[in-house]
Amino acid sequence: MEGLRRECAGRRDVAFVPTMGSLHEGHKALLREARLTGGFVVASVFVNPTQFGPGEDFDAYPRDEAGDLAALAEAGCDVAFLPTAAELYADGGTRVLAGAVASRWEGELRPGHFDGVATVLAKLFGAVGPCRAYFGLKDLQQCAVVRALVEDLMLPVELRWVETVREPSGLALSSRNRYFTDEQRAGAAALYAALSACATGESSAEEARHLLAERGFDIEYLACVDPRTMQELPFPAPGARWIAAARYCGVRLIDNIAAHTA
Ligand code: AMP
C-alpha cells in the first residue's frame, strides 16, 4: 500500500483496471484501452473474498501471480497493485451495500456478491485515486453496480466500458474457462450462439433455453434487459442486451450481447 501511495502521489491522471488476476486477452483489452487513453496506468490483482459466497470457488479460483506480473509488464501497465486481504480489510468494518440494480440476476443468485464488489471497489478507488476506471461489459450487471456506486457515492471517477473479448468460437474469455477440457470449451460456445440467436430475433428466449438444456446447460437465467437498470424488457428496445447465466460441465458461465434492434 505504501509503495502504491508513493507511485501514485501527485499523479493527476491515473487510469485504473481492477482485476482478480489470471489475466487473459479480455483483461489485456481493458489495459490497452487504459493505455490508449493515456495517463498513468494502475492495475490491481486481488481475489476479493467478500464477493464470494459460501460454497463458491474462492479457494479454487485460479491464481497466477508470476504470469499476471509478466502480462501487466507486457501490457505497459505502470504499476501493479497486489494488496493482501489483511491490508484491504484491516478496517473498522465499514461496508458498501450495492443498490437496486443488484437485486436480480447475479445479485439474487449470489447473495452479498455485489456488496462485496461495491465494497472492494470503493476501497480500491480510495487507495488508487483514479480519474478513469475500466470495466468489461462481459460482467454487465457489475457495470450497472459500479455505475450506481460512483453516482450514488459521488465518486470522482469516470467509467469506461470495454466490449467482451471472445474465442473464435464465440465463447467469452474468462479465468474460469481454465476449468474446461478442450471438448467442453468447444461445447460451452453454445451459450454465445444461443444469445446471438436471441439478439437477431432468430430464436425466442424459450427456444434458446430449450436448445441449451438439450446441450447439457443448466440455465439460471436468460433474458433481455435494460443494461442501466437491469430490469427485464418485454421486447428488445434500443440499447437492450440479452443476458444469460448457466452451468456447463460444472463451470458457471455468464455472458451477454447487444440486442439487434431496427
Ligand atoms: P475479473 O478478473 O474476472 O474480475 O475481471 C476483471 C475485469 O476484466 C472486469 O471488468 C471484467 O468485466 C473484465 N473482463 C473479464 N473477462 C473479459 C472479457 N472476456 N472481455 C473483456 N473484459 C473482460
Side-chain angles (χ1 to χ4, degrees), residues 133-154:
Y134 296 77
F135 292 89
L137 284 170
K138 151 100 175 19
D139 298 286
L140 189 74
Q141 193 172 12
Q142 174 169 276
C143 293
V145 166
V146 181
R147 185 193 282 117
L149 169 77
V150 164
E151 286 176 0
D152 293 351
L153 301 189
M154 301 172 199

Side-chain angles (χ1 to χ4, degrees), residues 18-20 24 26-27 30 61 135-136 139 142 163-165 173:
T19 82
M20 295 207 300
H24 50 64
H27 299 111
L30 270 59
Y61 194 84
F135 292 89
D139 298 286
Q142 174 169 276
E163 249 312 342
T164 305
V165 179
L173 298 191

Side-chain angles (χ1 to χ4, degrees), residues 17-30 44-47 51 61 134-140 142-143 146 160-167 171-177 254-255:
V17 180
T19 82
M20 295 207 300
S22 270
L23 301 180
H24 50 64
E25 289 301 321
H27 299 111
K28 288 185 197 166
L30 270 59
S44 62
V45 175
F46 180 62
V47 184
Q51 70 188 69
Y61 194 84
Y134 296 77
F135 292 89
L137 284 170
K138 151 100 175 19
D139 298 286
L140 189 74
Q142 174 169 276
C143 293
V146 181
R160 300 278 177 97
W161 318 121
V162 178
E163 249 312 342
T164 305
V165 179
R166 301 178 179 282
E167 293 190 355
L171 177 65
L173 298 191
S174 160
S175 306
R176 289 185 173 104
N177 291 353
I254 62 168
D255 201 353

